[in-house]
Amino acid sequence: MENTGFWIKNEAGQVQFKGGKNDWSEAAEIAGSCPHFLEDYEGEIVAEEARSCYNCRFRRWTAASFVCLKALKE
Amino acid sequence: MKIYVGIDDTDSIDQGATGESANQLIKLIEERRWGRCQGLTRHQLLLDPAIPYTSHNSSMCFTADLEAVYLPSLIKEAGRFLEQNSAPGSDPGLCVAVEEHLERAEELIAYGYETKVRIMTKAEAYGLAGKLGVHLSEHGGTGIGVIGALAGVGLRMTNNDGRFQGKLKLKGPGATMSVAEIKSCSPVERVQSLAGRILGDDEELRLGKKLKTVLLNGKRTLLVYRPEGEPGWETCTNRHLEDY
């Protein structure tokens, strides 16, 4: 895996969040300055911070973390 | 008759949400006076890179008390609704199970649990639905949503899986209410701690920001916890409910 700051590039070439599913502050900080952030449907909101990668429509959950679907396209 | 309606895979990354599709279906059923629908629940399925889910691999289910004569119309209209309203590129599936016609519900429940731990195939879903006499149909794309639609019904039947969609509208954050008050003015049937203690009607709790309920022991349950350093009970946060 390639290590780039908050993110890891996994074997499938996907950009995966390094903080797993419980790094709430990091996920909020990243989303705070992300131009792609879009809040997901209400039923899929998990973080208390409204603006968080964990609440973003473009995060795809994995067993241990999530991959960013917008980062994939860049 | 009591029916279970499960749907899945109606969204794409850019458009739609299966929860919204389910809410529109509920509206359609009630506007046509075919029956009365009960709470909509979200059920988490397996997260595995080999499964082509959009972002969370969850399916939706609601129950309805339906006039039997409207069952064929409901199945036909729900299918048409999914075809016309699902996001381009999605793979919607529809499942409708009639409780009184289902003799081996335990097989459907076992299937639901299996979708949380194993990658399932469409053939398995259709095979089980056919065997149990449950309606299962696909309405666009690859139709792979039939797997989740069937699983959603099975998991709802467990009476112990899923979060109810929508937030409770009670008093504002920080307000205190008794269990009896909450039960009398909302769909909540039980208030329970994360450790499993059921609160009595005269006990009080503080309301948090977002009030969500889960399905536990067949009851619409509001979960509470004791925050560190503060007295009394408080409603659980989104983070507490993540695993339900």
Side-chain angles (χ1 to χ4, degrees):
Chain A
M1 287 196 183
E2 188 185 323
N3 190 333
T4 54
F6 300 131
W7 307 96
I8 291 168
K9 205 168 227 181
N10 66 22
E11 290 86 348
Q14 298 168 319
V15 179
Q16 184 174 306
F17 182 52
K18 213 161 62 174
K21 292 186 172 180
N22 288 298
D23 195 342
W24 306 97
S25 56
E26 206 68 82
E29 191 182 327
I30 297 167
S33 58
C34 177
H36 302 298
F37 175 80
L38 182 64
E39 192 174 77
D40 202 356
Y41 168 68
E42 182 272 329
E44 300 298 340
I45 298 299
V46 294
E48 300 308 310
E49 304 86 358
R51 199 173 173 110
S52 165
C53 291
Y54 292 143
N55 292 346
C56 179
R57 189 172 179 93
F58 302 115
R59 52 90 178 89
R60 186 176 192 267
W61 292 111
T62 65
S65 182
F66 69 86
V67 296
C68 175
L69 298 177
K70 279 297 178 185
L72 270 177
K73 292 179 178 174
E74 289 169 349
Chain B
M1 59 167 55
K2 181 178 180 182
I3 63 165
Y4 291 78
V5 180
I7 66 169
D8 194 18
D9 276 341
T10 70
D11 60 345
S12 68
I13 183 179
D14 296 310
Q15 195 180 324
T18 302
E20 283 173 0
S21 301
N23 275 321
Q24 287 170 29
L25 260 183
I26 287 171
K27 198 173 164 196
L28 184 151
I29 291 167
E30 296 195 334
E31 278 180 355
R32 298 193 180 190
R33 300 184 187 279
W34 291 342
R36 291 283 302 166
C37 299
Q38 288 85 40
L40 173 65
T41 44
R42 171 207 187 272
H43 302 274
Q44 183 65 56
L45 309 178
L46 178 66
L47 294 170
D48 187 290
I51 300 174
Y53 56 87
T54 309
S55 65
H56 25 73
N57 203 26
S58 57
S59 74
M60 295 285 168
C61 183
F62 62 91
T63 61
D65 290 317
L66 195 79
E67 294 290 336
V69 68
Y70 296 125
L71 182 64
S73 305
L74 182 147
I75 289 172
K76 187 177 167 192
E77 285 301 312
R80 185 184 298 172
F81 172 86
L82 293 179
E83 282 160 23
Q84 292 176 348
N85 295 283
S86 297
S90 64
D91 310 302
L94 168 71
C95 176
V96 182
V98 178
E99 188 175 58
E100 66 193 54
H101 297 168
L102 193 63
E103 289 181 2
R104 294 188 299 272
E106 67 277 7
E107 290 190 40
L108 198 44
I109 288 171
Y111 175 87
Y113 280 133
E114 210 170 349
T115 58
K116 287 179 178 284
V117 295
R118 182 170 81 77
I119 298 172
M120 313 294 277
T121 66
K122 265 172 67 174
E124 286 173 307
Y126 278 122
L128 181 63
K131 182 178 155 191
L132 300 180
V134 167
H135 171 85
L136 190 63
S137 53
E138 54 190 77
H139 299 278
T142 67
I144 205 157
V146 292
I147 296 171
L150 186 66
V153 171
L155 290 167
R156 178 67 177 256
M157 284 181 175
T158 67
N159 280 328
N160 274 302
D161 191 88
R163 298 196 294 260
F164 282 92
Q165 298 301 281
K167 289 174 276 190
L168 298 176
K169 287 169 188 157
L170 299 172
K171 295 179 182 172
T176 299
M177 288 181 82
S178 73
V179 170
E181 264 185 290
I182 290 171
K183 285 190 204 168
S184 70
C185 66
S186 75
V188 171
E189 296 173 285
R190 181 176 278 179
V191 178
Q192 182 176 316
S193 75
L194 284 172
R197 184 167 94 70
I198 297 165
L199 272 65
D201 281 353
D202 57 343
E203 292 190 77
E204 293 194 325
L205 52 122
R206 257 187 327 279
L207 305 182
K209 282 184 195 162
K210 291 176 184 171
L211 307 174
K212 305 272 294 178
T213 51
V214 298
L215 180 60
L216 283 178
N217 297 307
K219 306 277 188 201
R220 188 159 183 164
T221 302
L222 181 64
L223 288 170
V224 296
Y225 74 113
R226 285 191 187 277
E228 270 185 40
E230 289 180 47
W233 297 106
E234 187 164 320
T235 57
C236 285
T237 64
N238 285 329
R239 292 178 194 177
H240 290 116
L241 303 182
E242 191 189 355
D243 294 330
Y244 287 86

